């Protein structure tokens, strides 16, 4: 049963609200609610302090942690302080979060920290500090206005361009349009109407499923003439780690309660921005990955780093650090996949470990942070333990049980070995390993007579004739290209070019000029691994094109980007499995990461 004091506090909080408060559930962002403020990485005071019967009520915020806490000082024993948190713009709130009471020997106290935002739950929060000292008072809510490059309510005359991402809607002869600019600012217009007509925006952080706190933004009426527009509103909230919010324009005819809205859209200043923002929708900050695929998360992080390197956008550098910090430890089977993760990103799946090694090479190249290179070297040393000349004369085993030598592990090892040599000053060990691995790869027999890479070798070391997957072809290209950089041996670059040239014209991998997986054809569907294969090919074809300047390779890459963006994208910039469009077309974060690699034309 609640205590009389708690009942009194809740009753007082209800009097301050037009509706009853909602119960709180624990939110986990970078940390979970109820963290001690001593662990805050920074302390800011974004709203004015409040005086309450001589007491000092303060809201403290750490944007670095995404958390806030409250304090009350200059008080007497029995005074209390707490946080209110709202998910609907302050209409309702969770009351009494972290409530603390001044003890008998003190004149002040503070709450524990609570999260301001909930990116994983796609909820944008507001927080305020409240206190009770003979009366109840609260500070202002923090961050009621969304700010990105610009903040909410900027005049649309300042727009950087004008794109209409979805078709307009009509209502009794009126035309209602959604507009966005190159900074992902959005506004709405109503045309061919009359005085009293209205237009507004709705903004959603969960792809249009709901829009609490984002309804009727910038609601504007036609005063004279036949048209008007709203002010502009941001669709990204970097402070709260909400990227790519969805917006729609809505309108109402004068004298009618009837309204109409456009479809929801997620602005895309560029193809790369649009694809990356939609990908971030599925990132889970607290767990530090894209649940729930281990190697896919490594490949996805690499795609995100590729995007950052290509565009110069450092908005997601925190994701790189977060993924590293959270996942470098030990996880039992079932938490990150069916296998246990044994620390330093390694497991019994040797290829999974190598994917993480390449991810940290990319992170090192982008950030310059030595810890990422050190981790890649640790992973490389682990993978090398499974190089075995006793079977097939060499090659790395696919798994710890040594059951299979295949193209994916071989290509990963060549790329990783060469990458480590190029980045470790004075290295000679990885240089030798690169030559040995690249020579073995070319002589292994996995490249068939048509110049395509089959999946692996039989027990007696012959090409097994299994499926030609795009990522195996791509890893061959990427591994040999990096081996050329590491050694200067022209044979490796020539071999990489042959693998690329074949892929561009072979109907096994390209149909109608568009990269096609065997599971993209007809009524087939791809499994969670296969969904990510084409983006890996696109990454390494682009890498080769940077070296050779091949017009054919660059034209092919551009064709993939064009096809993805025009035939395989919805209004929320979600990108599917089939880069040429068509049905059935699967769509999730794996297909998004893969297609991000496809739209990044270098």
């Amino acid at each position: 049963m609640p205590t009389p004091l708690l009942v009194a506090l809740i009753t007082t909080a209800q009097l301050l609200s037009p509706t009853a408060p909602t119960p709180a559930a624990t939110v986990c962002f970078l940390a979970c609610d109820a963290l001690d403020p001593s662990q805050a990485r920074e302390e800011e005071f974004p709203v004015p302090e409040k005086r309450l019967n001589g007491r000092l009520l303060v809201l403290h915020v750490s944007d670095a942690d995404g958390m806030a806490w409250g304090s009350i000082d200059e008080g007497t024993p029995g005074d209390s302080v707490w946080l209110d948190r709202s998910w609907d713009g302050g209409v309702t709130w969770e009351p009494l979060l972290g409530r603390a009471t001044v003890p008998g020997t003190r004149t002040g106290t503070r709450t524990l920290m609570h999260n301001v935002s909930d990116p994983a739950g796609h909820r944008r929060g507001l927080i305020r500090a409240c206190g009770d000292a003979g009366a109840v008072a609260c500070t202002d809510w923090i961050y009621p206005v969304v700010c990105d490059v610009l903040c909410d309510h900027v005049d649309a005359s300042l727009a950087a361009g004008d794109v209409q991402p979805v078709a307009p809607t009509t209502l009794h002869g009126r035309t209602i349009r959604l507009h966005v600019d190159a900074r992902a600012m959005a506004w709405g217009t109503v045309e061919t109407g009359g005085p009293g007509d209205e237009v507004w925006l709705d903004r959603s952080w969960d792809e249009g499923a709901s829009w609490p706190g984002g309804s009727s933004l910038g609601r504007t009426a036609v005063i004279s003439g036949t048209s008007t527009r709203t002010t502009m509103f941001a669709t990204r909230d970097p402070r709260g780690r909400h990227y790519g919010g969805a917006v729609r324009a809505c309108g109402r005819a004068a004298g009618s309660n009837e309204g109409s809205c456009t479809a929801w859209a997620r602005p895309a200043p560029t193809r790369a921005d649009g694809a990356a923002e939609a990908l971030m929708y599925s990132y889970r900050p607290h767990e530090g990955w894209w649940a729930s695929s281990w190697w896919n998360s490594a490949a996805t992080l690499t795609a995100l780093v590729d995007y950052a390197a290509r565009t110069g956008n450092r908005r997601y550098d925190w994701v790189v650090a977060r993924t590293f910090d959270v996942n470098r430890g030990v996880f039992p089977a079932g938490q990150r996949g069916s296998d246990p993760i044994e620390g330093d990103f390694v497991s019994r799946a040797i290829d999974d470990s190598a994917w993480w090694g390449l991810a940290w090479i990319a992170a090192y190249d982008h950030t310059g942070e030595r810890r990422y290179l050190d981790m890649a070297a640790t992973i490389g040393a682990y993978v090398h333990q499974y190089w075995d000349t006793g079977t097939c004369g060499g090659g790395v085993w696919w798994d710890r049980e040594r059951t299979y030598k295949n193209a994916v592990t071989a290509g990963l090892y060549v790329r990783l070995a060469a990458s480590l040599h190029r980045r470790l000053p004075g290295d000679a060990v990885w240089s030798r390993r690169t030559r040995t691995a690249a020579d073995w790869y070319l002589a292994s027999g996995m490249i068939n007579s048509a110049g395509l890479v089959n999946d692996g070798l039989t027990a007696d070391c012959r090409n097994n004739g299994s499926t030609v997957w795009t990522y195996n072809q791509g890893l061959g290209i990427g591994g040999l290209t990096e081996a050329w950089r590491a050694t200067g041996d022209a044979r490796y670059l020539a071999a990489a070019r042959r693998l690329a040239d074949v892929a561009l014209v072979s109907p096994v991998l390209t149909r109608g000029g568009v990269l096609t997986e065997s599971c993209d054809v007809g009524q087939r569907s791809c499994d969670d691994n296969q969904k990510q294969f084409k983006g890996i090919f696109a990454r390494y074809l682009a890498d080769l094109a940077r070296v050779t300047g091949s017009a054919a390779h660059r034209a092919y890459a551009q064709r993939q980007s064009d096809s993805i963006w025009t035939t395989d994208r919805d209004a929320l910039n979600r990108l599917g499995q089939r880069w040429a469009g068509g049905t059935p077309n699967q769509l999730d974060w794996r297909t998004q990461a893969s297609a991000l690699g496809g739209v990044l034309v270098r």
Side-chain angles (χ1 to χ4, degrees):
M1 293 290 291
T3 65
L5 175 59
L6 182 60
V7 170
L9 286 170
I10 293 176
T11 302
T12 306
Q14 288 174 328
L15 291 175
L16 291 171
S17 171
T19 58
T22 55
T26 299
V27 173
C28 294
F29 175 13
L30 302 179
C32 291
D33 287 344
L35 189 69
D36 193 280
S38 64
Q39 299 186 50
R41 287 183 284 172
E42 63 182 22
E43 183 178 20
E44 299 177 30
F45 308 95
V47 295
E49 61 194 33
K50 190 84 172 180
R51 281 289 175 179
L52 172 62
N53 289 336
R55 283 74 163 175
L56 183 65
L57 182 65
V58 179
L59 180 65
H60 311 249
V61 178
S62 172
D63 284 336
D65 301 291
M67 305 187 88
W69 67 102
S71 66
I72 190 167
D73 289 294
E74 302 173 22
T76 59
D79 293 346
S80 62
V81 60
W82 66 89
L83 298 174
D84 289 341
R85 180 170 59 196
S86 175
W87 302 112
D88 57 11
V91 177
T92 63
W93 54 82
E94 302 166 336
L96 305 176
L97 299 179
R99 188 176 77 87
T101 301
V102 177
T105 58
R106 305 286 298 276
T107 59
T109 191
R110 64 187 182 185
T111 72
L112 297 175
M113 295 198 294
H114 284 69
N115 284 291
V116 180
S117 195
D118 180 19
H122 311 298
R123 300 184 298 171
R124 184 177 188 273
L126 307 179
I127 270 186
R128 65 184 180 184
C130 298
D132 184 8
V136 173
C138 300
T139 68
D140 294 335
W141 297 102
I142 56 167
Y143 312 141
V145 173
V146 179
C147 290
D148 184 24
V149 178
L150 300 175
C151 294
D152 290 346
H153 307 294
V154 175
D155 192 275
S157 65
L158 300 176
D162 183 352
V163 174
Q164 297 177 37
V166 291
T169 185
T170 59
L171 177 67
H172 302 313
R174 283 82 168 164
T175 300
I176 300 156
R177 301 181 189 274
L178 175 65
H179 307 256
V180 299
D181 79 349
R183 296 165 299 195
M185 299 295 290
W187 70 101
T189 60
V190 59
E191 304 165 4
T192 62
D197 291 349
E198 292 182 315
V199 62
W200 64 90
L201 292 180
D202 290 338
R203 177 171 58 198
S204 172
W205 302 108
D206 59 4
E207 298 186 328
S210 64
W211 48 103
S215 179
S216 297
L217 300 178
R219 195 175 190 113
T220 305
V222 176
I223 303 301
S224 62
T226 63
S227 64
T228 192
R229 67 190 180 195
T230 70
T231 53
M232 294 195 295
F233 289 80
T235 61
R236 297 180 297 208
D237 176 23
R239 178 182 278 119
R241 273 77 155 188
H242 294 289
Y243 305 105
V247 285
R248 66 181 181 182
C250 301
R252 184 187 68 82
S256 171
N257 290 325
E258 183 182 358
S260 183
C261 298
T262 68
W264 290 98
R266 181 185 270 133
T270 67
R271 292 178 181 182
D273 290 338
E277 287 165 2
L279 176 63
M280 280 303 302
Y281 184 83
S282 299
Y283 184 72
R284 295 189 180 180
H286 190 245
E287 295 94 336
W289 72 324
W290 286 265
S292 51
S293 296
W294 183 239
W295 87 264
N296 297 80
S297 282
T300 297
L301 183 68
T302 308
L304 194 69
V305 173
D306 283 350
Y307 157 80
R310 168 70 177 83
T311 62
N313 188 337
R314 307 196 73 95
R315 187 188 298 267
Y316 306 123
D317 284 8
W318 71 274
V319 175
V320 181
R322 180 69 181 172
T323 304
F324 183 87
D325 291 338
V326 171
N327 290 286
R328 65 182 304 176
V330 175
F331 298 89
Q335 284 198 8
R336 289 295 185 267
S338 56
D339 293 329
I341 306 304
E342 299 163 0
D344 293 333
F345 300 91
V346 304
S347 68
R348 58 168 288 279
I350 311 307
D351 59 333
D352 287 7
S353 306
W355 284 115
W356 282 105
L358 291 182
W360 301 126
I361 289 288
Y364 170 72
D365 288 349
H366 175 59
T367 67
E369 292 188 34
R370 178 71 191 211
R371 62 179 182 153
Y372 299 136
L373 179 58
D374 290 344
M375 181 60 73
T378 296
I379 294 169
Y382 170 75
V383 172
H384 180 72
Q385 294 178 44
Y386 296 91
W387 175 271
D388 180 11
T389 58
T391 301
C392 304
V396 175
W397 290 104
W398 173 62
D399 57 5
R400 189 177 289 163
E401 293 76 19
R402 302 178 182 241
T403 63
Y404 189 29
K405 288 192 173 179
N406 62 355
V408 59
T409 316
L412 285 163
Y413 181 70
V414 175
R415 180 80 186 190
L416 183 55
S419 297
L420 287 169
H421 167 64
R422 292 185 60 230
R423 290 158 180 82
L424 293 172
D427 169 73
V429 171
W430 285 108
S431 176
R432 293 193 300 271
R433 290 172 178 174
T434 298
R435 283 189 177 276
T436 300
D439 289 344
W440 182 87
Y441 183 92
L442 291 173
S444 68
M446 285 185 293
I447 304 173
N448 64 31
S449 59
L452 297 171
V453 181
N454 291 103
D455 193 66
L457 300 176
T458 61
D460 58 354
C461 302
R462 291 179 294 126
N463 185 312
N464 62 13
S466 191
T467 305
V468 174
W469 299 109
T470 59
Y471 83 148
N472 282 334
Q473 198 82 9
L475 280 167
I477 294 167
L480 292 166
T481 300
E482 191 74 347
W484 168 77
R485 288 195 185 99
T487 66
D489 192 328
R491 293 182 302 125
Y492 302 145
L493 185 61
R497 294 192 70 154
R498 288 194 299 272
L499 290 175
D501 292 343
V502 168
L504 269 55
V505 298
S506 170
V508 176
L509 294 177
T510 299
R511 298 191 177 200
V514 179
L515 191 64
T516 304
E517 209 71 69
S518 58
C519 52
D520 295 342
V521 179
Q523 296 300 301
R524 299 175 191 170
S525 60
C526 300
D527 68 25
D528 284 347
N529 292 320
Q530 296 155 7
K531 290 173 183 175
Q532 207 148 1
F533 287 176
K534 293 198 294 289
I536 293 158
F537 176 93
R539 175 183 307 142
Y540 293 126
L541 178 68
D543 186 37
L544 176 64
R546 282 194 295 271
V547 170
T548 65
S550 167
H553 295 168
R554 293 188 178 203
Y556 184 87
Q558 186 65 56
R559 189 156 57 247
Q560 307 318 299
S561 180
D562 293 344
S563 184
I564 291 167
W565 205 248
T566 58
T567 69
D568 190 32
R569 176 179 66 103
D570 67 13
L572 296 172
N573 303 323
R574 296 177 298 192
L575 307 174
Q577 168 64 30
R578 299 189 179 216
W579 289 6
T583 56
N585 198 10
Q586 299 161 280
L587 189 152
D588 64 13
W589 62 263
R590 300 167 189 83
T591 68
Q592 190 75 27
S594 181
L596 171 59
V599 301
L600 282 174
V601 178
R602 280 73 169 180

